[in-house]
Amino acid sequence: MIKIKTNSPEETFAFAKGLADLLKNGVVLCLKGDLGAGKTLFVQGLAKGFQVEEEVTSPTFSLMNVYHGRRAIYHFDLYRLESAEELYDIGFYEYTTLEDSIVIIEWPDKFPEELPEEYLWLEITRTENIDERLITIQLKGESYRQIYEELKQNCQF
């Protein structure tokens, strides 16, 4: 497990923006965190790293947002879904197998059995300091081992 501490929203944004340089096509990021933990800010930083020019918002009500930059980003928010059957309705399974894009899944713990076989699991946790965040990263599967090892060497606090 990798642990990264950021001391401000700007640092969280900058970390996510830098992460874009490590991510390859087909990567699935599962992004867990309480309401207000900074998930949307993190996705905004990641999108900036992929040179997305459009406004990046939480897909809480739309369930999925698509952004175009150096790579397409499919950003899912599973918070409002009630059953795994609803994942079919939004094309979840098709998008999570695309090899020419990045997929971000917020609230992945709602349907853990429906997640792809391999992904990077990122959890953003608030600490006692109001602006500080602890980001933990875990690897599921071996496809993203190189990304994980680069993060481990370069980013861990």
Side-chain angles (χ1 to χ4, degrees):
M1 178 184 324
I2 300 170
K3 293 184 179 186
I4 298 160
K5 183 176 72 171
T6 61
N7 295 302
S8 67
E10 294 80 15
E11 280 188 19
T12 301
F13 184 93
F15 169 71
K17 182 179 176 189
L19 180 61
D21 290 334
L22 296 178
L23 299 182
K24 298 173 174 73
N25 283 337
V27 170
V28 175
L29 295 176
C30 293
L31 187 56
K32 183 180 178 194
D34 291 335
L35 291 170
K39 297 182 300 295
T40 299
L41 176 71
F42 187 90
V43 175
Q44 289 169 340
L46 194 62
K48 189 66 162 179
F50 282 117
Q51 299 171 344
V52 170
E53 296 298 326
E54 61 203 278
E55 182 181 7
V56 174
T57 60
S58 176
T60 300
F61 295 101
S62 61
L63 304 179
M64 181 185 74
N65 289 339
V66 181
Y67 304 106
H68 299 282
R70 288 188 294 133
R71 292 194 177 91
I73 299 173
Y74 296 95
H75 180 197
F76 288 92
D77 187 325
L78 308 184
Y79 183 74
R80 296 200 177 280
L81 297 182
E82 298 296 324
S83 70
E85 289 77 30
E86 292 173 283
L87 294 171
Y88 286 102
D89 297 337
I90 61 173
F92 179 81
Y93 302 105
E94 290 82 14
Y95 288 109
T96 57
T97 59
L98 293 176
E99 295 182 3
D100 62 346
S101 60
I102 303 297
V103 175
I104 302 166
I105 305 167
E106 288 192 41
W107 300 96
D109 49 327
K110 283 206 67 171
F111 306 106
E113 65 284 352
E114 303 300 322
L115 296 175
E117 289 183 25
E118 299 188 303
Y119 50 82
L120 288 173
W121 182 277
L122 284 80
E123 184 166 353
I124 302 174
T125 308
R126 289 183 258 191
T127 67
E128 293 173 7
N129 179 332
I130 192 166
D131 289 332
E132 188 177 84
R133 297 294 185 264
L134 180 63
I135 301 169
T136 56
I137 303 172
Q138 296 180 34
L139 177 67
K140 170 72 165 125
E142 290 299 312
S143 293
Y144 311 140
R145 171 68 61 190
Q146 182 179 351
I147 297 166
Y148 184 80
E149 292 301 327
E150 285 185 50
L151 282 168
K152 197 176 201 180
Q153 289 177 351
N154 299 314
C155 298
Q156 192 157 268
F157 289 88

